[in-house]
Amino acid sequence: MDADSLLLSLELASGSGQGLSPDRRASLLTSLMLVKRDYRYDRVLFWGRILGLVADYYIAQGLSEDQLAPRKTLYRGAPLLSPQVQIKEETRLVSVIEQIDKAVAIIPRGALFKTPFGPTHVNRTFEGLSLSEAKKLSSYFHFREPVELKNKTLLEKADLDPSLDFMDSLEHDIPKGSWSIQMERGNALVVLRSLLWPGLTFYHAPHTKNYGYIYVGTGEKNMDLPFML
C-alpha cells in the first residue's frame, strides 16, 4: 500500500484483520515519509509485517520512477539477543519477501502504463476499475516483469494494449483457484486474498484510485493448496 495514502489504505484493509493501533499507524506513517524523503524514492510502499520466530518485522519498499525496476526492501524488527539467530532469521526474511513479491504482489489493470521507450510509470489518469471489471481475475496483474506473457503468440497478443497489458494476468495462475475474490461494503470494495500465500490481501475501491496490497503472516506458503482445491 502506498505510503501517501497509508491511513486510508489501512482502513480499507482493516476488514481482513490487517489493522494497526492508532499509535502504530502514526509512527509508521512518519517513518515511511522520512524514508521517502531521505532516500528520494518516487514511491514508498508499506509492504506488511512478517511474524518471525523471535521478532515481528515491519517491511517497506522503495520504488524508483520506473515502477518495474528492482525495488529496495527495508525492514525493521525488534532487537534480538542472539546475533546468530538474527542472521538466520533475516536471511529467511529476504527470501520470503522475494517469493511473495514474485507470486502474489498484484496491481489492477491500468494503474501503470509502459512507454514506447521501455520505462513503466504510474498512470495518473487511472480512475479505477468498473464494478464488473473488478470482479474478474483478468483485471489484475502480477506486479513484476512478465513471465507467461513472453510465451504468448502474436495471435494471442493481438487484442492486448501494449501500453497497459504488459504484465502477467492472474486468471491463468497455477494452481487454478488460488485466489479468492469478494465484494465487501455493499460492492464498494473488492478484496482478493491469496490462498497460496495466506496473509496476502489486495483491496480496491472500484471507480477510485484506491488500491493496494498488504501481507501479514508467518511467511509460510500453503504447499497443500493443490490438494485442497
Side-chain angles (χ1 to χ4, degrees):
M1 53 179 62
D2 199 310
D4 288 341
S5 57
L6 180 69
L7 299 183
L8 173 61
S9 296
L10 287 172
E11 176 62 28
L12 292 176
S14 62
S16 301
Q18 317 292 19
L20 299 172
S21 68
D23 288 346
R24 175 63 72 179
R25 292 185 185 200
S27 173
L28 183 60
L29 180 59
T30 299
S31 297
L32 294 176
M33 290 297 97
L34 289 174
V35 166
K36 183 177 182 181
R37 183 196 69 185
D38 295 344
Y39 288 88
R40 298 183 179 180
Y41 291 127
D42 183 67
R43 288 202 299 155
V44 171
L45 307 180
F46 175 49
W47 189 92
R49 178 161 54 109
I50 289 184
L51 314 177
L53 297 175
V54 289
D56 292 349
Y57 294 87
Y58 287 85
I59 301 153
Q61 291 184 328
L63 282 67
S64 64
E65 187 175 357
D66 185 347
Q67 298 294 299
L68 287 187
R71 301 192 277 273
K72 176 66 175 179
T73 300
L74 305 97
Y75 57 86
R76 183 177 66 185
L80 302 177
L81 296 177
S82 169
Q84 290 183 337
V85 173
Q86 182 173 5
I87 291 173
K88 290 181 180 178
E89 181 101 309
E90 292 183 354
T91 300
R92 171 182 173 272
L93 187 71
V94 171
S95 174
V96 167
I97 293 171
E98 183 178 350
Q99 291 179 63
I100 291 175
D101 272 348
K102 288 182 177 179
V104 291
I106 59 178
I107 198 162
R109 181 181 185 272
L112 302 180
F113 76 95
K114 191 176 185 67
T115 67
F117 306 104
T120 301
H121 300 291
V122 172
N123 185 359
R124 306 296 179 187
T125 65
F126 178 66
E127 295 294 340
L129 299 173
S130 68
L131 184 58
S132 60
E133 290 172 335
K135 298 177 181 180
K136 302 175 183 177
L137 279 180
S138 58
S139 297
Y140 303 95
F141 296 145
H142 285 281
F143 189 19
R144 54 162 167 73
E145 289 289 348
V147 177
E148 298 301 325
L149 185 63
K150 297 177 180 179
N151 298 324
K152 289 184 178 292
T153 65
L154 290 177
L155 183 61
E156 291 173 316
K157 294 180 182 179
D159 294 329
L160 301 181
D161 183 338
S163 67
L164 298 178
D165 303 308
F166 54 90
M167 294 176 283
D168 293 329
S169 166
L170 268 59
E171 66 177 328
H172 300 302
D173 277 12
I174 298 174
K176 191 174 181 62
S178 60
W179 289 100
S180 163
I181 300 185
Q182 293 179 310
M183 299 304 299
E184 300 183 358
R185 303 188 183 187
N187 284 343
L189 186 70
V190 59
V191 177
L192 277 69
R193 295 181 178 89
S194 172
L195 305 182
L196 186 62
W197 285 94
L200 189 287
T201 300
F202 171 89
Y203 56 90
H204 174 49
H207 300 292
T208 78
K209 297 182 178 182
N210 300 321
Y211 70 87
Y213 61 87
I214 183 172
Y215 178 84
V216 178
T218 58
E220 296 175 290
K221 185 178 182 179
N222 183 7
M223 302 298 291
D224 295 327
L225 182 61
F227 308 101
M228 299 166 61
L229 298 173

mmCIF file of all heavy atoms in Angstrom, residues 63-84:
data_model
loop_
_atom_site.group_PDB
_atom_site.id
_atom_site.type_symbol
_atom_site.label_atom_id
_atom_site.label_comp_id
_atom_site.label_asym_id
_atom_site.label_seq_id
_atom_site.Cartn_x
_atom_site.Cartn_y
_atom_site.Cartn_z
ATOM 1 N N LEU A 63 10.373 2.513 -4.420
ATOM 2 C CA LEU A 63 10.284 2.364 -5.869
ATOM 3 C C LEU A 63 10.874 3.586 -6.556
ATOM 4 O O LEU A 63 10.675 4.719 -6.107
ATOM 5 C CB LEU A 63 8.834 2.193 -6.313
ATOM 6 C CG LEU A 63 8.173 0.829 -6.133
ATOM 7 C CD1 LEU A 63 7.997 0.481 -4.660
ATOM 8 C CD2 LEU A 63 6.830 0.785 -6.840
ATOM 9 N N SER A 64 11.555 3.338 -7.663
ATOM 10 C CA SER A 64 12.067 4.422 -8.484
ATOM 11 C C SER A 64 10.981 4.884 -9.444
ATOM 12 O O SER A 64 9.867 4.362 -9.429
ATOM 13 C CB SER A 64 13.312 3.960 -9.251
ATOM 14 O OG SER A 64 12.966 2.927 -10.159
ATOM 15 N N GLU A 65 11.295 5.828 -10.300
ATOM 16 C CA GLU A 65 10.298 6.325 -11.254
ATOM 17 C C GLU A 65 9.823 5.217 -12.183
ATOM 18 O O GLU A 65 8.649 5.159 -12.549
ATOM 19 C CB GLU A 65 10.871 7.485 -12.065
ATOM 20 C CG GLU A 65 9.837 8.171 -12.950
ATOM 21 C CD GLU A 65 10.402 9.395 -13.660
ATOM 22 O OE1 GLU A 65 11.574 9.742 -13.413
ATOM 23 O OE2 GLU A 65 9.672 9.995 -14.456
ATOM 24 N N ASP A 66 10.747 4.314 -12.572
ATOM 25 C CA ASP A 66 10.371 3.141 -13.351
ATOM 26 C C ASP A 66 9.823 2.110 -12.369
ATOM 27 O O ASP A 66 10.555 1.506 -11.591
ATOM 28 C CB ASP A 66 11.589 2.571 -14.085
ATOM 29 C CG ASP A 66 11.229 1.410 -15.004
ATOM 30 O OD1 ASP A 66 10.099 0.889 -14.903
ATOM 31 O OD2 ASP A 66 12.082 1.006 -15.822
ATOM 32 N N GLN A 67 8.504 1.910 -12.398
ATOM 33 C CA GLN A 67 7.824 1.120 -11.372
ATOM 34 C C GLN A 67 8.188 -0.365 -11.382
ATOM 35 O O GLN A 67 7.988 -1.053 -10.379
ATOM 36 C CB GLN A 67 6.310 1.269 -11.527
ATOM 37 C CG GLN A 67 5.829 2.697 -11.351
ATOM 38 C CD GLN A 67 6.023 3.208 -9.934
ATOM 39 O OE1 GLN A 67 5.469 2.661 -8.995
ATOM 40 N NE2 GLN A 67 6.827 4.257 -9.775
ATOM 41 N N LEU A 68 8.732 -0.871 -12.486
ATOM 42 C CA LEU A 68 9.121 -2.274 -12.545
ATOM 43 C C LEU A 68 10.618 -2.486 -12.341
ATOM 44 O O LEU A 68 11.109 -3.611 -12.445
ATOM 45 C CB LEU A 68 8.685 -2.903 -13.872
ATOM 46 C CG LEU A 68 7.179 -3.168 -14.025
ATOM 47 C CD1 LEU A 68 6.907 -3.948 -15.306
ATOM 48 C CD2 LEU A 68 6.609 -3.922 -12.827
ATOM 49 N N ALA A 69 11.337 -1.409 -12.042
ATOM 50 C CA ALA A 69 12.756 -1.539 -11.706
ATOM 51 C C ALA A 69 12.856 -2.256 -10.359
ATOM 52 O O ALA A 69 11.893 -2.264 -9.582
ATOM 53 C CB ALA A 69 13.404 -0.166 -11.630
ATOM 54 N N PRO A 70 13.991 -2.902 -10.080
ATOM 55 C CA PRO A 70 14.139 -3.609 -8.797
ATOM 56 C C PRO A 70 13.781 -2.701 -7.618
ATOM 57 O O PRO A 70 14.219 -1.557 -7.551
ATOM 58 C CB PRO A 70 15.617 -4.005 -8.779
ATOM 59 C CG PRO A 70 15.986 -4.131 -10.231
ATOM 60 C CD PRO A 70 15.197 -3.048 -10.925
ATOM 61 N N ARG A 71 12.979 -3.250 -6.706
ATOM 62 C CA ARG A 71 12.554 -2.477 -5.545
ATOM 63 C C ARG A 71 13.532 -2.671 -4.392
ATOM 64 O O ARG A 71 14.062 -3.758 -4.184
ATOM 65 C CB ARG A 71 11.145 -2.908 -5.119
ATOM 66 C CG ARG A 71 10.111 -2.714 -6.214
ATOM 67 C CD ARG A 71 8.695 -2.865 -5.696
ATOM 68 N NE ARG A 71 8.225 -4.225 -5.604
ATOM 69 C CZ ARG A 71 7.639 -4.883 -6.609
ATOM 70 N NH1 ARG A 71 7.496 -4.300 -7.787
ATOM 71 N NH2 ARG A 71 7.198 -6.113 -6.454
ATOM 72 N N LYS A 72 13.726 -1.612 -3.644
ATOM 73 C CA LYS A 72 14.592 -1.669 -2.475
ATOM 74 C C LYS A 72 13.741 -1.999 -1.252
ATOM 75 O O LYS A 72 12.789 -1.290 -0.940
ATOM 76 C CB LYS A 72 15.293 -0.316 -2.274
ATOM 77 C CG LYS A 72 16.150 -0.236 -1.016
ATOM 78 C CD LYS A 72 17.347 -1.164 -1.083
ATOM 79 C CE LYS A 72 18.256 -0.972 0.139
ATOM 80 N NZ LYS A 72 19.421 -1.878 0.112
ATOM 81 N N THR A 73 14.070 -3.085 -0.585
ATOM 82 C CA THR A 73 13.301 -3.516 0.578
ATOM 83 C C THR A 73 13.986 -3.100 1.867
ATOM 84 O O THR A 73 15.185 -3.306 2.049
ATOM 85 C CB THR A 73 13.114 -5.050 0.564
ATOM 86 O OG1 THR A 73 12.403 -5.424 -0.624
ATOM 87 C CG2 THR A 73 12.342 -5.515 1.787
ATOM 88 N N LEU A 74 13.206 -2.480 2.735
ATOM 89 C CA LEU A 74 13.707 -2.066 4.043
ATOM 90 C C LEU A 74 12.818 -2.699 5.108
ATOM 91 O O LEU A 74 11.612 -2.832 4.923
ATOM 92 C CB LEU A 74 13.675 -0.547 4.198
ATOM 93 C CG LEU A 74 14.398 0.276 3.122
ATOM 94 C CD1 LEU A 74 13.385 0.751 2.081
ATOM 95 C CD2 LEU A 74 15.104 1.461 3.725
ATOM 96 N N TYR A 75 13.415 -3.108 6.204
ATOM 97 C CA TYR A 75 12.611 -3.717 7.262
ATOM 98 C C TYR A 75 13.165 -3.339 8.626
ATOM 99 O O TYR A 75 14.333 -2.967 8.778
ATOM 100 C CB TYR A 75 12.570 -5.241 7.109
ATOM 101 C CG TYR A 75 13.923 -5.917 7.088
ATOM 102 C CD1 TYR A 75 14.566 -6.292 8.266
ATOM 103 C CD2 TYR A 75 14.566 -6.179 5.880
ATOM 104 C CE1 TYR A 75 15.796 -6.913 8.237
ATOM 105 C CE2 TYR A 75 15.800 -6.791 5.842
ATOM 106 C CZ TYR A 75 16.415 -7.161 7.029
ATOM 107 O OH TYR A 75 17.649 -7.757 6.989
ATOM 108 N N ARG A 76 12.286 -3.445 9.617
ATOM 109 C CA ARG A 76 12.675 -3.145 10.987
ATOM 110 C C ARG A 76 12.024 -4.160 11.908
ATOM 111 O O ARG A 76 10.829 -4.415 11.836
ATOM 112 C CB ARG A 76 12.218 -1.745 11.381
ATOM 113 C CG ARG A 76 12.661 -1.327 12.797
ATOM 114 C CD ARG A 76 12.236 0.091 13.095
ATOM 115 N NE ARG A 76 10.785 0.210 13.153
ATOM 116 C CZ ARG A 76 10.151 1.372 13.302
ATOM 117 N NH1 ARG A 76 10.822 2.495 13.332
ATOM 118 N NH2 ARG A 76 8.825 1.395 13.357
ATOM 119 N N GLY A 77 12.852 -4.754 12.780
ATOM 120 C CA GLY A 77 12.336 -5.731 13.729
ATOM 121 C C GLY A 77 12.771 -5.375 15.134
ATOM 122 O O GLY A 77 13.573 -4.453 15.352
ATOM 123 N N ALA A 78 12.231 -6.080 16.100
ATOM 124 C CA ALA A 78 12.610 -5.840 17.494
ATOM 125 C C ALA A 78 14.036 -6.312 17.734
ATOM 126 O O ALA A 78 14.526 -7.229 17.066
ATOM 127 C CB ALA A 78 11.655 -6.595 18.416
ATOM 128 N N PRO A 79 14.755 -5.706 18.685
ATOM 129 C CA PRO A 79 16.123 -6.127 18.995
ATOM 130 C C PRO A 79 16.161 -7.597 19.397
ATOM 131 O O PRO A 79 15.284 -8.079 20.114
ATOM 132 C CB PRO A 79 16.502 -5.220 20.172
ATOM 133 C CG PRO A 79 15.596 -4.052 20.064
ATOM 134 C CD PRO A 79 14.312 -4.572 19.506
ATOM 135 N N LEU A 80 17.163 -8.290 18.947
ATOM 136 C CA LEU A 80 17.307 -9.712 19.257
ATOM 137 C C LEU A 80 18.527 -9.938 20.141
ATOM 138 O O LEU A 80 19.507 -9.195 20.073
ATOM 139 C CB LEU A 80 17.460 -10.513 17.956
ATOM 140 C CG LEU A 80 16.310 -10.352 16.957
ATOM 141 C CD1 LEU A 80 16.631 -11.125 15.697
ATOM 142 C CD2 LEU A 80 15.024 -10.860 17.559
ATOM 143 N N LEU A 81 18.441 -10.976 20.958
ATOM 144 C CA LEU A 81 19.529 -11.243 21.889
ATOM 145 C C LEU A 81 20.647 -12.047 21.248
ATOM 146 O O LEU A 81 21.805 -11.907 21.596
ATOM 147 C CB LEU A 81 18.980 -12.007 23.111
ATOM 148 C CG LEU A 81 17.956 -11.241 23.955
ATOM 149 C CD1 LEU A 81 17.454 -12.139 25.087
ATOM 150 C CD2 LEU A 81 18.589 -9.977 24.526
ATOM 151 N N SER A 82 20.324 -12.903 20.308
ATOM 152 C CA SER A 82 21.327 -13.773 19.688
ATOM 153 C C SER A 82 21.628 -13.312 18.269
ATOM 154 O O SER A 82 20.793 -13.410 17.388
ATOM 155 C CB SER A 82 20.822 -15.223 19.657
ATOM 156 O OG SER A 82 21.663 -16.012 18.845
ATOM 157 N N PRO A 83 22.870 -12.828 17.992
ATOM 158 C CA PRO A 83 23.223 -12.411 16.617
ATOM 159 C C PRO A 83 23.077 -13.520 15.589
ATOM 160 O O PRO A 83 22.655 -13.288 14.456
ATOM 161 C CB PRO A 83 24.666 -11.969 16.763
ATOM 162 C CG PRO A 83 24.824 -11.579 18.172
ATOM 163 C CD PRO A 83 23.980 -12.524 18.929
ATOM 164 N N GLN A 84 23.411 -14.805 16.004
ATOM 165 C CA GLN A 84 23.315 -15.933 15.066
ATOM 166 C C GLN A 84 21.869 -16.183 14.663
ATOM 167 O O GLN A 84 21.564 -16.407 13.487
ATOM 168 C CB GLN A 84 23.908 -17.195 15.702
ATOM 169 C CG GLN A 84 25.425 -17.131 15.863
ATOM 170 C CD GLN A 84 25.989 -18.421 16.415
ATOM 171 O OE1 GLN A 84 25.291 -19.192 17.050
ATOM 172 N NE2 GLN A 84 27.270 -18.659 16.176
#
